[in-house]
Amino acid sequence: MTAYDDQNIFAKILRGEIPSFKVYEDDDTLCFMDIMPRTDGHCLVIPKTPCRNVLDATDAQLASVMATVKKVANAAKAAFEADGITLQQFNETAGGQEVFHLHFHIHPRHTGVAMRAPGQMGDMDAIKRHAEAIAAALD
Ligand code: 5GP
């Protein structure tokens, strides 16, 4: 497997080298908004320690990330009065991964509403409001 590259965009977010809209963090994980949201409330959960994806993550990294995914998913469902939540997670280029630091996508979903196409930059004011709404709904 290719080695972890600490110049990936999420590593830079973790180091504070580029900005992000933070939703939640604890000792082991960070949740922030995706800047090309495919749903309102689309956010990402990452471990604070390096790994490319599920294939090289330790059990401890996966456990801490999944605990945060569950916590934020419930908050996002409440904040957006969503009917459900879609989780996405991609591994290596052939698996659809573009940023090589483990992450889970959280999407609040409403019945009958499709996800938007990928790769479209979102409205930063709306993304900021959405981050605040999810954060406010956390336990
Ligand atoms: P994946 O690797 O799972 O295919 O997707 C990476 C995700 O990172 C995409 O949903 C993309 O919109 C998001 N992304 C790419 N660059 C940035 C960035 O600079 N900041 C944030 N917050 N998200 C990003």
Side-chain angles (χ1 to χ4, degrees):
M1 182 179 223
T2 311
Y4 179 83
D5 176 4
D6 70 4
Q7 293 307 304
N8 75 76
I9 201 83
F10 295 167
K12 291 181 180 180
I13 286 174
L14 278 169
R15 291 194 295 267
E17 294 170 6
I18 64 167
S20 66
F21 295 109
K22 185 173 81 173
V23 173
Y24 171 80
E25 75 176 316
D26 59 22
D27 288 347
D28 302 315
T29 65
L30 174 68
C31 178
F32 57 96
M33 302 305 286
D34 197 302
I35 54 167
M36 291 178 257
R38 298 194 59 195
T39 55
D40 287 352
H42 179 180
C43 57
L44 303 165
V45 177
I46 68 174
K48 288 186 172 178
T49 49
C51 60
R52 281 174 70 83
N53 52 46
V54 163
L55 302 175
D56 67 333
T58 65
D59 290 354
Q61 285 173 316
L62 291 173
S64 60
V65 165
M66 289 313 299
T68 298
V69 166
K70 177 179 175 180
K71 184 182 184 76
V72 175
N74 276 299
K77 185 171 181 295
F80 287 85
E81 298 183 338
D83 301 307
I85 293 286
T86 296
L87 301 180
Q88 290 182 307
Q89 195 281 317
F90 305 108
N91 300 278
E92 300 299 327
T93 302
Q97 186 174 13
E98 295 182 347
V99 178
F100 296 96
H101 182 110
L102 172 65
H103 55 281
F104 282 77
H105 300 253
I106 297 175
H107 298 281
R109 301 299 302 277
H110 296 88
T111 303
V113 179
M115 290 171 61
R116 295 187 284 271
Q120 304 175 80
M121 196 60 75
D123 176 277
M124 293 302 147
D125 290 338
I127 292 172
K128 180 172 185 285
R129 280 199 311 277
H130 294 163
E132 290 166 355
I134 300 171
L138 285 164
D139 291 338

